[in-house]
Amino acid sequence: MTTSSPIALWTPAARVRGILAVVAGRGERAPVYERFGRRLSADGYTVAVFEADADAAAQWLAGVDEVPVVLIGSDTGAAAVLRVLSQGATPDGAIVAGTPVDLDGVAQPADAERTACPVHLGVLGTAEARTSAVAVEQVPAAADLAAIAVPVLAFHGSADTVSPFAEAGAVLSAVPDIELIETVDGLHDALNDQSHRSVAASIVLWLERLRSGDVHAPVVRLAAGVPAA
């Protein structure tokens, strides 16, 4: 079986702490995730981007040695990631953002629905960031999501009009091991919206927990109180 190569790859300058394979959403190419890739690679994680092909991303991850390996999907890429997980793919974990709940055709959401970040809006306005529409898939049924055997971290904007937060949360609740993070006043492109720095920081914290062997065990936490002098 041949495995497709990523369309873009960002690698750390020093030690690799894990491998992340990103599955792009509707009409997206690698430049959409350049800021994300550079930021996570600066923290020690290799970031590869695949164009609307979760199967290829999962196969590529299966052939690498570093751990953890994590599958990431945004928009329809999130639906595809959830599908391959429900079919038995077992990376060490997965991250989904802007999970769609009611796909109406394959049209890309309007840029203003996707982000309020001026830098990201500029990227979305370039021809290099876009590709032709491809066939998309719905999120798997609840019974299929219940079969997912790896921890999943989900991000979703509280002001997402493309995929409303409450509806997306209800869908994702079928995943057995799910952490859902709400981006306050966030729009659809949760990885690249105005809160992109906080989202990236939350991802790194989750990845470090995943590396520890117990994703539910905190690496850092708020102290109960300051000891008396």
Side-chain angles (χ1 to χ4, degrees):
M1 176 185 296
T2 59
T3 301
S4 299
S5 298
I7 59 174
L9 187 70
W10 292 274
T11 57
R15 178 187 174 193
V16 176
R17 300 182 65 77
I19 309 289
L20 315 178
V22 179
V23 182
R26 281 170 281 187
E28 295 179 337
R29 289 193 59 80
V32 173
Y33 297 96
E34 181 172 359
R35 180 172 64 183
F36 178 82
R38 291 187 183 279
R39 178 168 287 137
L40 271 293
S41 67
D43 273 305
Y45 292 90
T46 295
V47 180
V49 176
F50 289 79
E51 192 175 286
D53 195 341
D55 296 282
Q59 291 169 20
W60 183 78
L61 284 179
V64 300
D65 297 326
E66 288 85 359
V67 292
V69 295
V70 175
L71 198 55
I72 302 177
S74 179
D75 182 57
T76 52
V81 163
L82 292 169
R83 190 257 307 160
V84 298
L85 295 176
S86 72
Q87 292 174 340
T90 53
D92 295 296
I95 299 170
V96 293
T99 302
V101 292
D102 185 17
L103 292 174
D104 182 13
V106 297
Q108 183 77 274
D111 292 354
E113 295 177 293
R114 297 179 60 179
T115 183
C117 172
V119 173
H120 190 48
L121 282 169
V123 172
L124 294 176
T126 64
E128 293 78 11
R130 298 179 182 274
T131 186
S132 56
V134 296
V136 297
E137 54 189 290
Q138 298 281 353
V139 172
D144 296 317
L145 293 178
I148 293 176
V150 303
V152 177
L153 176 65
F155 292 91
H156 211 90
S158 65
D160 187 345
T161 58
V162 178
S163 179
F165 179 84
E167 296 177 30
V171 169
L172 291 167
S173 67
V175 177
D177 192 348
I178 184 80
E179 291 184 41
L180 176 58
I181 294 180
E182 175 183 359
T183 60
V184 179
D185 297 326
L187 301 180
H188 188 61
D189 285 13
L191 301 181
N192 280 304
D193 200 12
Q194 285 188 315
S195 57
H196 59 90
R197 295 177 183 84
S198 296
V199 167
S202 298
I203 289 173
V204 171
L205 288 170
W206 185 82
L207 290 170
E208 293 299 307
R209 286 190 276 131
L210 193 65
R211 278 178 52 82
S212 76
D214 182 358
V215 74
H216 301 293
V219 176
V220 295
R221 62 188 174 195
L222 290 172
V226 179

